[in-house]
Amino acid sequence: MFLTISTTGTPERPATDLGFLLHKHPDNAQTFSTSYGTAHVLYPEAAADRCTAALLLEVDAVALVRRGKGKGRGGAPDAALAQYVNDRPYAASSLLAVALSAVFSSAMRGVCAAKPELPAQPRPLRIEVPALPARGGAGLVRALFEPLGWTVSAEPVPLDTEFPQWGDSRYVSLVLESERLTVAEALRHLYVLLPVLDDAKHYWVSSDEVDKLLRAGEGWLPDHPEQKLITSRYLSRRWSLTRQAMERLELVRLAEADDSAVEEIDNAVEAEAETEERPTPLAVLRREAILTALTQSGAARVLDLGCGQGQLVQALLKDPRFTEIVGVDVSVRALTIASRRLKLDRMGERQASRVRLVQGSLAYTDTRLGGYDAAVLSEVIEHLDLPRLPALEYAVFGSARPRTVVVTTPNVEYNVRWESLPAGHVRHGDHRFEWTREEFRGWAAAVAERHGYDVGFVPVGPDDPEVGPPTQMAVFTQGGATEKEAKAA
């Protein structure tokens, strides 16, 4: 990935002041390590009349896959290959935005101890990005940058210059020019809008991304005509985070209009009890349904297979009826996070004796999992390639054989009700498949028949009359429990 920032100057205001603003000396080529590769800063030209700084990011594609948030989509066993053979090392994206923030952090904040008067001074700027993914085309690029004071040139890059009949790619060669922006403003624009145009991020978007967006968008985002699109795409279309950001941006806009502080506007209305109930998150409904099924089964010793970061284990610990709880996951990192969530290092001896976290793969039989009353596979099976499901089936139902097994998985039919989910996409980048209700029931019935279980099905979440619930749950039991009893649970 490659980006250049150029400026012109005079003997009184030399262009080489760019080095002070970026905190990178024009005479030196500097290298910085990042989680996904190596960033280089160099100056192809540095004179009083013209100075250009270049940021070159060499991406380690293997590190990107191993540390990224997913390994492919769909049911194809080799879908992960697309993660190794793609445009990520070459096209500007959130990887480049993160590198900008890491390498030019002081410049983005408008800090320059050597010449404190420089950051506030507008300068003639020219920014070039040779390969920029633009989901929305050159028109969207102009719609995003022109309201900020940039003169925009966004030339579509042809798929192949030897075959013009193939048309243009989704990439543009971008040139931005301005006479009235500061370097800090320019960097903040790029930090937000590069991943917005790519419409993707290489890392999981959490609540702290709202604060990052508002910091980088200070002074320009509240009044931007494409504010909603920018906010939604920057936050990976997570509606809860987008709503939170939009509410905070509206407070900023109102405060500016009223010439008041945001805190004054936010406290202008007395606190009132909310009359409208907020919908319970699906993850909470899922845990409640699982706990109900386990309670109805009379289980005391429970396995949480694929326990992830320990949310269900934490909920099980709150109920004294569950005397032994074992969380199993293949990921050491997930188990470490679960241990911190549960505060195992500070837990009392009696409580600690009820819980264990162990590393293990559900694709292999494990004698440690035998003899338990119940096992839970909550949002686990869809993370396996379909050819590996029989191995999990035998490890759980054939080898471990708990009296009760609870399995939850997304209902793909319900995906049409998620406004933020693009058509044809699965709910998470690591899902290898998502089943319809008929497919899930067919698989569950076959598993039950092969291993001597009965199975009942329970909807989790709002049960839409057309597409069913967002989550489907199967309760497998030894000893003849009926579907009617499972539904009652």
Side-chain angles (χ1 to χ4, degrees), residues 62-105:
V62 175
L64 178 61
V65 174
R66 290 177 177 171
R67 302 182 188 182
K69 63 181 181 180
K71 296 183 179 179
R73 293 182 174 184
D78 59 347
L81 180 62
Q83 296 296 320
Y84 290 92
V85 185
N86 57 37
D87 64 349
R88 298 298 85 181
Y90 314 105
S93 66
S94 59
L95 288 164
L96 186 58
V98 170
L100 279 171
S101 176
V103 175
F104 300 133
S105 58

Side-chain angles (χ1 to χ4, degrees), residues 221-240:
L221 184 55
D223 296 316
H224 197 290
E226 298 293 341
Q227 177 199 98
K228 186 174 181 180
L229 180 143
I230 293 170
T231 304
S232 176
R233 285 194 177 192
Y234 183 87
L235 297 172
S236 295
R237 303 179 189 271
R238 293 191 62 188
W239 69 267
S240 58

Side-chain angles (χ1 to χ4, degrees), residues 87-88 91-95 132-135 170-171 193-201 233:
D87 64 349
R88 298 298 85 181
S93 66
S94 59
L95 288 164
L132 173 66
R135 296 183 188 272
R170 69 181 184 91
Y171 304 92
L193 296 181
L194 290 181
V196 166
L197 283 164
D198 190 24
D199 199 13
K201 283 200 169 183
R233 285 194 177 192

Side-chain angles (χ1 to χ4, degrees), residues 7 13 18 70 84 94 131 145 227 284 301 317 350 410 444:
T7 187
R13 292 185 60 191
L18 184 63
Y84 290 92
S94 59
F145 282 102
Q227 177 199 98
V284 175
R301 304 174 66 235
L317 273 172
R350 187 171 182 178

Side-chain angles (χ1 to χ4, degrees), residues 4 52 56 67 179 338 349 370 387 429:
T4 61
T52 297
L56 172 66
R67 302 182 188 182
E179 298 279 340
E349 183 177 349

Side-chain angles (χ1 to χ4, degrees), residues 2 31 33 43 53 66-67 95 111 113 120 173 195 214 230 257 274 289 304 308 346-347 366 375 405 431 457:
F2 190 67
T31 299
S33 295
Y43 288 77
R66 290 177 177 171
R67 302 182 188 182
L95 288 164
V111 175
S173 176
L214 296 182
I230 293 170
E274 293 189 6
D304 182 7
R346 288 175 278 168
M347 190 177 286
D366 190 335
V405 180
H431 286 187
F457 300 94

